[in-house]
Amino acid sequence: MQNLKRKKKRKEILLVFLTIMVMVAFFYPIFVAVITSFKENREISQSVMALPQTLYIENYRIAAEKSDFIRSLLNTCIVTFPSVVLIVFCGAMGGYAIARNSERHRGFRLMDRLYLASLMIPFQIMMIPVYKIYKNLHLQNSLFGMILILTGTSVAYATFLYVGFVKSIPRELEEAAKLDGCGPYQTFFRVVFPLLKPVTVTVAALHVMWLWNDFNIALIILQKDEVRTLTVKQYYFFGQYTAEYGMAFASAILSMIPVLIFFLSAQRYLVEGVSAGAVKS
């Protein structure tokens, strides 16, 4: 018994140690970013890890002015949240259609495979065609155009997640709804979609984070200063011969605050969603 208790205690100590190491690995970049954002360039050049001698708040003020923070924040919200709503609805409806019809119709099976294949195509391959198409359609420097491309490049993964979850929902619920007089759209929105809450929360949370931090698409689509998002604005703190690290990190932290607030406020729903998904039959 004593040997078993000792082995169990050693495993617990090892698990705690590994957990602490993982936490340190994750929080180290955030720690460096925070302390650097409060340093002057002279202090940054002397030591990256040293704590700031005084809190240099000017980095935040100048970074907010140079990046036109309020306008950039508004642009980021405009392209992120409508895109997430479209991704959720398109992904949910597409995933439902594929999950319920792929066994009987070859076209839906082909569509499912095309979605999966598209996940393996990096955006860098499509950059030049997308740029030319957007330029010809006059969608460049358009927030609406940005919403379209963000939605289009994200729907495949969302649909993939929904397909697997819809297959776990019993068909009997839909049959009962049809007997009650519900059409296909009523059946989906009134019966099926509420049951997709766990995967919907997951899809929404993931895409808020990804779209908020998108850089590649925003860089080639949004080239006018008045429509640029936060990530593109941060890029301009680094020049060919100079780099304003203090201001860049200050700007990065300012852009992190809204999405952190979102995740903290949605934390309860995220936990509920993951728990519901874990015990779903």
Side-chain angles (χ1 to χ4, degrees), residues 72-93:
S72 303
L73 176 64
L74 182 61
N75 291 338
T76 306
C77 291
I78 289 173
V79 300
T80 298
F81 294 108
S83 299
V84 171
V85 172
L86 288 173
I87 289 165
V88 166
F89 280 102
C90 293
M93 289 187 286

Side-chain angles (χ1 to χ4, degrees), residues 123 130 146 149-150 153 214-222 232:
F123 178 74
V130 166
M146 186 68 178
I149 188 66
L150 289 177
T153 54
D214 174 78
F215 176 75
N216 289 332
I217 300 177
L219 184 63
I220 66 169
I221 299 299
L222 306 175
V232 180

Side-chain angles (χ1 to χ4, degrees), residues 50-275:
L51 294 174
Q53 298 175 2
T54 58
L55 295 180
Y56 189 64
I57 309 295
E58 285 295 301
N59 280 336
Y60 285 86
R61 185 187 64 80
I62 299 172
E65 288 180 358
K66 284 189 174 183
S67 63
D68 197 1
F69 181 75
I70 300 300
R71 182 190 289 270
S72 303
L73 176 64
L74 182 61
N75 291 338
T76 306
C77 291
I78 289 173
V79 300
T80 298
F81 294 108
S83 299
V84 171
V85 172
L86 288 173
I87 289 165
V88 166
F89 280 102
C90 293
M93 289 187 286
Y96 173 71
I98 291 172
R100 290 296 186 245
N101 298 287
S102 59
E103 295 178 1
R104 294 175 295 175
H105 299 286
R106 186 180 300 176
F108 285 95
R109 289 198 298 271
L110 177 62
M111 187 180 298
D112 189 23
R113 291 170 184 171
L114 286 175
Y115 273 136
L116 290 175
S118 68
L119 295 177
M120 295 180 283
I121 302 174
F123 178 74
Q124 286 76 4
I125 294 177
M126 304 182 293
M127 284 176 66
I128 295 176
V130 166
Y131 177 81
K132 289 184 176 180
I133 291 171
Y134 264 58
K135 190 173 182 180
N136 292 333
L137 294 176
H138 304 288
L139 288 173
Q140 203 173 19
N141 297 313
S142 166
L143 295 179
F144 174 73
M146 186 68 178
I147 292 172
L148 289 180
I149 188 66
L150 289 177
T151 303
T153 54
S154 304
V155 162
Y157 182 68
T159 304
F160 168 72
L161 294 179
Y162 275 108
V163 167
F165 202 90
V166 169
K167 288 181 178 178
S168 68
I169 297 176
R171 290 178 180 266
E172 289 78 7
L173 296 174
E174 299 165 49
E175 294 172 358
K178 290 179 182 178
L179 290 175
D180 290 337
C182 290
Y185 290 100
Q186 288 178 316
T187 300
F188 174 75
F189 285 108
R190 292 186 178 182
V191 178
V192 177
F193 190 70
L195 297 175
L196 299 177
K197 181 183 175 181
V199 69
T200 297
V201 172
T202 302
V203 168
L206 287 174
H207 284 87
V208 165
M209 180 179 64
W210 291 340
L211 302 189
W212 188 276
N213 294 318
D214 174 78
F215 176 75
N216 289 332
I217 300 177
L219 184 63
I220 66 169
I221 299 299
L222 306 175
Q223 297 184 351
K224 287 186 178 179
D225 193 62
E226 58 268 20
V227 294
R228 284 174 179 155
T229 55
L230 289 169
T231 52
V232 180
K233 288 285 189 177
Q234 293 171 23
Y235 173 72
Y236 292 98
F237 287 106
F238 299 93
Q240 183 176 0
Y241 302 106
T242 60
E244 298 287 350
Y245 290 107
M247 295 179 194
F249 279 115
S251 178
I253 290 171
L254 286 174
S255 66
M256 285 169 53
I257 292 174
V259 76
L260 283 176
I261 293 173
F262 168 79
F263 273 96
L264 290 175
S265 60
Q267 185 178 13
R268 179 169 64 90
Y269 302 101
L270 289 172
V271 173
E272 288 178 359
V274 172
S275 301

